[in-house]
Amino acid sequence: MESLRSFLVIALALVSFLLWQQWQVDYGPKPVVATQATPATQTTTTSADLQLSGAVPTTPAAAVTTASAVQLVEVKTDVLTVKINTQGGDIVGLELPGFTVSQENPSSYQLMRQLNGFEYVAQSGLLGDGPDDKKAPRQTYQVAQTSYQLANGQAELVVPFTLQHNGLLIEKRFIFTAGKYDVRVEYSVTNQGDGSKVVQPYYHFAQTIDNGEGSNMMMPVYRGGAYSTAEQRYEKFSFEDMADANLSLSTKGGWVSMLEHYFVAAWVPQAEDTNQLYSLVSGNLGVIGAQGPQSSIAVGETKTFNAVFYAGPKDQDNLKLLANGLDLTVDYGILWFISQPLFWFLQFIHGIVGNWGIAIIAITLLVKGALFPLTKVQYESMAKMRNLKPKIDELQARFKDDRQKMGPAMMELYRKEKVNPMGGCLPMLIQLPIFLALYWVFVESVELRQAPFMLWITDLSVQDPYYVLPVLYGISMFIMQKLTPMTVTDPMQAKIMLWMPVAFSVFFLWFPSGLVLYWVVSNLVSLGQMLYIYRGMEKKGLYVREAK
């Protein structure tokens, strides 16, 4: 192959371009979604859909402001600050004290809120004979106090809301645990009426679709839904999907969630129940949720319904314990089977060295060391191709007017000299998936969010503020280009390769600094390996350095 290096560089450029496209799809600003309700929402006639539409207030924000008795109850733990509306017992505000908005803004990260025309709330309730079945303002719960705090040394905090409705005594309990982002939400329902009652629990998220926040955040973010069923462990369901068609799936167990880059909010209903997963667009709100099965409560009987509410970072270890597939909200894409071991290995190294930047350098050295046998094959193959360049030039001159004969002649030359023109491709093909897998590790892993390295690199999850690493990458690529045996004869290809270091440096300006750090170190290691291999071949007379 005359232009093996061109092939490899173009392959890397193509993969990088695809990465950039996928970045824009997942994290770039989203197009505005039509805010009208979908036709399916407007024309539903089944009882289940009517119950669902009754469970979703048309304008939840307005419902909060119209009832004079409504109060917000604030609950503080060591990891959560939650605001619960007594109307419906909805979670209308949630902050994460352990995470700041950015390094420049030390305010606690607000995951849920009703503020400045944007709404993101977690609602739950009881359909059927429960208080949430009618298209009317949601019922207001009674609560003993408006402020609760988990004390130091206290393991658990229970916040009870009570309501009497339609002969039912309902206690809605929020159970917080020290150090945990998951909250147990329980309904204890006692039938005090004169006949049996039927109730059906539901849990969902409602979030403003067109919020305009994507381009204003420190880093572009992806917002959208996701769900899991017994058959499908993890499936994204964007606001665009919600606008196109309502989700309607029956599954045993399952869960629903809203994703926000490094953070996730999820409802996990009872795993032993057959739950109905649903979505809809109501006004400018995207809704995704789960309904439990209907349950009959006899006179004097008490029944309990519960679900787990999670709101916090995408911590894979914790999410895996809460529900099957919930850890996949840390979306490593199609190469998750490579990304997950790499992340665990990176996490292990970090536990030893205590610095994510040093951990990235260490894993780069280990990966490059493990791939050295393949790298040796690659460089030796490229060197042999360089040695054949005079003979290749001779064949090209002889058959310049007959390309049909030149092809077989070239293949005969490779066979005679025992050179495989594709011998340098295999190591690159193996390294590219690792590069892609590490890309998603650096983009998706909350552990790298605002993680400092040293000097000017104070956040490995965002671009280098002074572009030092992209420039170093370009310099290292240029030096590698000069040391690499060249077989390119076409002047245009030669010019393209000459400008490739500049092009890649510009391209990497917007990449997370952790990823660029990995690639810079990888290039430096490759330079050392290249010099070692070529000097060894020179001593054996297998490689002749190109004349200057």
Side-chain angles (χ1 to χ4, degrees):
M1 177 182 286
E2 289 185 342
S3 53
L4 177 59
R5 179 168 173 80
S6 297
F7 172 80
L8 297 176
V9 171
I10 292 171
L12 182 57
L14 176 61
V15 170
S16 300
F17 175 72
L18 293 175
L19 271 177
W20 177 252
Q21 282 191 319
Q22 188 63 40
W23 174 282
Q24 291 298 317
V25 170
D26 284 345
Y27 299 103
K30 299 296 180 185
V32 176
V33 179
T35 58
Q36 289 83 8
T38 62
T41 305
Q42 295 172 339
T43 59
T44 47
T45 55
T46 64
S47 60
D49 287 335
L50 288 174
Q51 289 174 339
L52 179 58
S53 63
V56 184
T58 305
T59 55
V64 171
T65 59
T66 54
S68 59
V70 168
Q71 292 179 307
L72 294 183
V73 178
E74 185 176 70
V75 183
K76 290 186 177 182
T77 73
D78 52 337
V79 296
L80 293 172
T81 299
V82 179
K83 291 181 179 179
I84 305 172
N85 193 341
T86 56
Q87 187 175 41
D90 299 332
I91 296 174
V92 297
L94 189 144
E95 293 183 2
L96 304 172
F99 296 86
T100 60
V101 174
S102 67
Q103 291 185 330
E104 295 75 24
N105 185 351
S107 302
S108 296
Y109 191 88
Q110 279 191 321
L111 187 59
M112 293 184 175
R113 56 207 175 277
Q114 289 179 313
L115 185 66
N116 298 330
F118 175 74
E119 182 148 12
Y120 181 11
V121 299
Q123 297 180 315
S124 58
L126 298 172
L127 303 172
D129 292 319
D132 302 295
D133 196 39
K134 305 298 181 183
K135 291 185 178 180
R138 308 192 73 199
Q139 298 295 307
T140 300
Y141 285 80
Q142 302 299 312
V143 63
Q145 57 196 70
T146 58
S147 179
Y148 293 82
Q149 183 161 357
L150 186 73
N152 290 334
Q154 184 179 0
E156 187 177 272
L157 174 64
V158 179
V159 180
F161 290 71
T162 58
L163 171 66
Q164 286 190 324
H165 172 81
N166 194 24
L168 296 174
L169 175 61
I170 302 169
E171 185 176 68
K172 184 175 185 178
R173 296 187 289 261
F174 294 86
I175 304 173
F176 298 84
T177 305
K180 292 190 176 182
Y181 296 94
D182 50 290
V183 181
R184 187 176 179 86
V185 180
E186 290 185 350
Y187 283 92
S188 176
V189 184
T190 302
N191 186 354
Q192 297 178 332
D194 52 6
S196 64
K197 305 291 184 181
V198 176
V199 298
Q200 184 177 22
Y202 75 91
Y203 316 90
H204 69 224
F205 298 102
Q207 183 175 168
T208 302
I209 295 175
D210 180 23
N211 56 70
E213 290 193 353
S215 60
N216 296 325
M217 299 290 285
M218 176 188 68
M219 193 173 186
V221 297
Y222 167 80
R223 293 183 186 274
Y227 66 87
S228 174
T229 66
E231 293 76 27
Q232 186 71 38
R233 291 183 65 206
Y234 170 72
E235 187 71 28
K236 281 185 176 179
F237 200 73
S238 68
F239 290 126
E240 289 85 350
D241 294 329
M242 296 178 196
D244 290 339
N246 292 338
L247 176 67
S248 180
L249 294 172
S250 180
T251 180
K252 185 173 182 179
W255 50 262
V256 293
S257 68
M258 283 284 190
L259 307 181
E260 186 174 312
H261 201 179
Y262 293 114
F263 305 98
V264 58
W267 279 113
V268 184
Q270 294 181 206
E272 63 272 15
D273 288 344
T274 298
N275 301 297
Q276 184 75 18
L277 308 187
Y278 61 85
S279 76
L280 57 87
V281 173
S282 177
N284 67 338
L285 294 175
V287 178
I288 188 168
Q291 276 184 191
Q294 291 185 339
S295 181
S296 178
I297 306 175
V299 175
E301 184 182 12
T302 298
K303 284 193 174 181
T304 300
F305 311 91
N306 63 74
V308 172
F309 167 76
Y310 179 93
K314 292 180 181 178
D315 186 314
Q316 297 178 62
D317 294 334
N318 290 334
L319 294 174
K320 187 183 300 183
L321 298 176
L322 290 178
N324 181 37
L326 192 55
D327 59 310
L328 296 180
T329 55
V330 183
D331 194 351
Y332 290 144
I334 60 174
L335 295 175
W336 59 269
F337 57 93
I338 301 177
S339 294
Q340 284 187 346
L342 285 174
F343 171 73
W344 294 330
F345 194 27
L346 185 67
Q347 198 174 34
F348 172 75
I349 296 173
H350 174 262
I352 298 175
V353 300
N355 182 293
W356 286 106
I358 296 176
I360 290 172
I361 294 174
I363 199 172
T364 306
L365 295 174
L366 292 171
V367 168
K368 293 295 291 183
L371 293 176
F372 178 73
L374 291 175
T375 302
K376 189 171 185 291
V377 171
Q378 175 187 354
Y379 290 147
E380 286 179 347
S381 177
M382 294 172 72
K384 291 177 182 178
M385 287 292 295
R386 164 68 181 84
N387 292 340
L388 284 181
K389 189 174 184 300
K391 296 181 180 180
I392 292 174
D393 291 342
E394 181 183 343
L395 286 178
Q396 289 177 335
R398 186 189 308 172
F399 298 109
K400 64 179 179 179
D401 297 324
D402 192 346
R403 292 191 172 274
Q404 290 185 347
K405 290 184 179 180
M406 184 171 69
M410 293 281 285
M411 295 306 297
E412 176 61 23
L413 175 64
Y414 294 146
R415 186 194 64 79
K416 182 179 178 181
E417 298 292 338
K418 297 180 181 180
V419 173
N420 182 2
M422 299 295 292
C425 295
L426 179 60
M428 180 62 73
L429 292 177
I430 291 177
Q431 291 179 64
L432 283 178
I434 295 175
F435 168 73
L436 292 170
L438 280 171
Y439 168 84
W440 291 115
V441 167
F442 299 143
V443 167
E444 282 287 315
S445 300
V446 68
E447 289 80 1
L448 270 68
R449 182 181 186 266
Q450 299 180 12
F453 173 38
M454 61 175 60
L455 301 176
W456 72 97
I457 303 296
T458 58
D459 187 349
L460 290 165
S461 67
V462 300
Q463 65 191 56
D464 184 336
Y466 300 113
Y467 310 119
V468 175
L469 289 177
V471 171
L472 289 177
Y473 172 82
I475 294 173
S476 63
M477 187 176 179
F478 178 78
I479 297 173
M480 287 180 64
Q481 191 179 75
K482 290 298 182 183
L483 291 177
T484 301
M486 300 293 291
T487 62
V488 174
T489 57
D490 182 72
M492 180 60 68
Q493 290 188 29
K495 289 181 180 179
I496 291 174
M497 286 190 292
L498 182 65
W499 284 98
M500 285 304 292
V502 176
F504 273 85
S505 293
V506 173
F507 185 78
F508 279 157
L509 292 179
W510 293 278
F511 268 54
S513 56
L515 181 68
V516 185
L517 174 64
Y518 158 76
W519 211 243
V520 168
V521 175
S522 179
N523 274 8
L524 293 177
V525 174
S526 295
L527 278 172
Q529 292 177 338
M530 185 183 297
L531 292 171
Y532 172 78
I533 293 168
Y534 288 163
R535 285 174 181 172
M537 293 183 69
E538 281 182 320
K539 291 179 180 179
K540 297 178 181 179
L542 300 176
Y543 173 60
V544 178
R545 191 178 297 273
E546 188 175 6
K548 302 297 182 182

